[in-house]
Structure formats: C-alpha cells, structure tokens
Amino acid sequence: MAIVKKSPEQIELMAAAGTVLVKTMSLIQSKIRPGVTTLELDQAAERFIRSQGCEPAFKGYRGFPGSICASPNSMVVHGIPGKYTLERGDIIAIDIGVVKDGWVADAARTFAVGPVSPIAAKLLAVTEESLMRAVPQCRPGNHLGDVSHAVQEYVEEHGFSVIRTLVGHGVGREMHEDPQVPNFGRAGSGIELEAGMVIAVEPMVNVGKHQVRMDDDGWSIFSADGSLSAHFEFTIAITADGPRVLTPWHEASGGRAAAA
Ligand code: MG
C-alpha cells in the first residue's frame, strides 16, 4: 500500500478529530483514581466521543471489544477495558482513537495513579520526552529514521528499551496506513518525509528488556520480563511549515507529565 498524502483541508478535518480526542483524554484523566475500573473509563470515553458526533475508532476494529485500550503496569498496549480496578501506585496507558467525518485521530498517554515508584515516574518522564523529541523531526526533507532514532536514542540513554515488534503508522481515513513508524532506527535512513504525510508516532518503552508476549485473550501485550511499560502517542501531520501535532493532549489542562 502506498502512502496516502493529505491536503491541507484534509489535515484540518483530522485536527478536528484530534480536538475531540484531546477532550476525551482530559475527561479520562479526570476520572483516573484508585478504585475505578478500566471498563468505567471505557464507557465514559465512548459516551463522550459519541456525544460529539464521532465514533470510537477502536470499537470493533478486528473485533476489539472496547472503545479505548487501557493497559496497566507491565501491559504494554491493547488492554481490553474490563474489571481491572486501578490501584494507588499503578501506571495506566490509555490509547484512544476517534473517527470524525471519516477521518481518524489516534493518541495515547500513560498516567500515574496517585504517587508511583521512582522507577515508574522515570519511565513516564522518559517515554513522554522521547515522543516530544520525535516531534521536531517530523518535517519535510527529514527521513523516517530521524523520527525513529530520536525516540530510541533518548530512551536508551536512560537505560530503558524500545519495543521492536510494535510500531507507529500512517493514519488518515484508515487507522493504520503506510508507512510503519518504528521506535528504533538510524538517523537519515528510510523514506523521505513529505508535506501531507500524517503519522502516528508512538513510543512503547519497557523498563527491562524489549521483548513482549501476547496474553491468552489475543489482544493484551505484556513486557516479557514483567517489567513496567509505558506508551505515549501523537498523530502528527508533516506540513510545509513543519510538524503539526493533531492530538495535542500536552497543551490541554493538566497537560504534560501531570500525575493523576
Ligand atoms: Mg497508533
């Protein structure tokens, strides 16, 4: 499949989906506390997304039952919302997809549930910062490897591991388009970025080794060594003026690195 570039008008439509997504993320953030189940978070997200005339992109995707993915602690991604009850000291990755007028926005954040261990706090800070360092690389003339390398370099400098078998992706009318966007790679390698490309950049980082395993439920991905794992994601448009984050949850109230 070729990379589908978006016009400036289409990027505006994706940004509108992103605005709803950011509001949904803020709503979920406000609900994260000990005693809340991931199903309650899922239901709140679905209600809000539908109230905005949008659809949750994940619901029914290849049979996924939830509207969000909720992945606590050593779970990396793709957690099915359910009876898991948040506990003080947990970290919880929340991944949200919103479809508005046929256009998809995709983003994730990992939250602290009350005070967390020093290593958990460091994991959240490093993973979030690795995403922030990838953003300025998303400009015409750069290569995909510049984005990947920015993530990997920062994560490994801090002693953590980027997951190899799960990657970011192009996004547009489809949630998963070309190109794949790995969180590891050589600067200057890969395709050249051009205005109109829109990519989901999503560092997934383990405290321990990079290997992962899938749970028996066929969805949940865990770190193989049981170490803590975090996930942050933006949908980013590459424009003639440079990178444009279409899902700017870091600019919302209670933005960056705000512990719940
Ligand atoms: Mg994604």
Side-chain angles (χ1 to χ4, degrees):
M1 189 171 81
I3 296 170
V4 183
K5 287 201 271 181
K6 284 79 185 177
S7 69
E9 295 73 22
Q10 291 174 328
I11 288 172
E12 290 304 326
L13 293 170
M14 293 187 71
T19 297
V20 174
L21 193 157
V22 169
K23 288 179 181 169
T24 311
M25 191 66 84
S26 294
L27 174 72
I28 295 305
Q29 181 175 17
S30 75
K31 292 184 176 299
I32 286 178
R33 62 175 63 85
V36 172
T37 67
T38 53
L39 183 63
E40 290 171 304
L41 300 178
D42 184 73
Q43 290 171 335
E46 179 170 9
R47 255 195 315 273
F48 179 77
I49 291 167
R50 294 196 190 282
S51 79
Q52 303 300 299
C54 301
E55 285 172 27
F58 301 166
K59 187 121 190 174
Y61 182 85
R62 295 183 179 169
F64 188 78
S67 290
I68 63 173
C69 298
S71 308
N73 300 323
S74 66
M75 196 191 291
V76 183
V77 286
H78 301 168
I80 299 171
K83 61 185 188 309
Y84 184 84
T85 304
L86 298 185
E87 290 181 34
R88 184 171 303 279
D90 279 354
I91 60 173
I92 177 81
I94 301 292
D95 194 349
I96 304 176
V98 168
V99 188
K100 181 174 170 55
D101 301 324
W103 293 93
V104 180
D106 186 8
R109 287 184 77 173
T110 303
F111 297 99
V113 184
V116 296
S117 67
I119 193 73
K122 180 182 171 189
L123 175 68
L124 298 193
V126 167
T127 309
E128 183 172 15
E129 179 61 21
S130 74
L131 173 59
M132 298 303 169
R133 287 180 180 233
V135 172
Q137 301 298 329
C138 296
R139 59 179 62 254
N142 267 11
H143 290 256
L144 199 55
D146 296 317
V147 179
S148 306
H149 180 74
V151 171
Q152 182 180 19
E153 183 177 47
Y154 190 76
V155 167
E156 293 184 352
E157 258 173 37
H158 290 82
F160 298 146
S161 304
V162 293
I163 284 149
R164 309 304 174 104
T165 52
L166 298 160
V167 297
H169 49 92
V171 57
R173 288 191 188 276
E174 303 292 333
M175 183 156 65
H176 293 129
E177 298 184 355
D178 279 344
Q180 292 198 342
V181 184
N183 294 304
F184 58 94
R186 258 180 321 109
S189 70
I191 59 154
E192 187 172 328
L193 301 177
E194 297 173 31
M197 293 179 180
V198 181
I199 55 176
V201 179
E202 47 180 321
M204 290 162 266
V205 174
N206 290 344
V207 164
K209 295 198 167 71
H210 70 79
Q211 286 85 358
V212 295
R213 66 171 176 85
M214 187 184 282
D215 188 72
D216 293 340
D217 68 13
W219 282 104
S220 312
I221 307 279
F222 289 87
S223 63
D225 61 10
S227 65
L228 289 173
S229 189
H231 179 212
F232 287 80
E233 178 180 23
F234 282 146
T235 294
I236 303 170
I238 291 136
T239 80
D241 300 325
R244 178 174 173 196
V245 177
L246 302 181
T247 54
W249 44 253
H250 58 310
E251 293 170 2
S253 62
R256 236 188 123 176

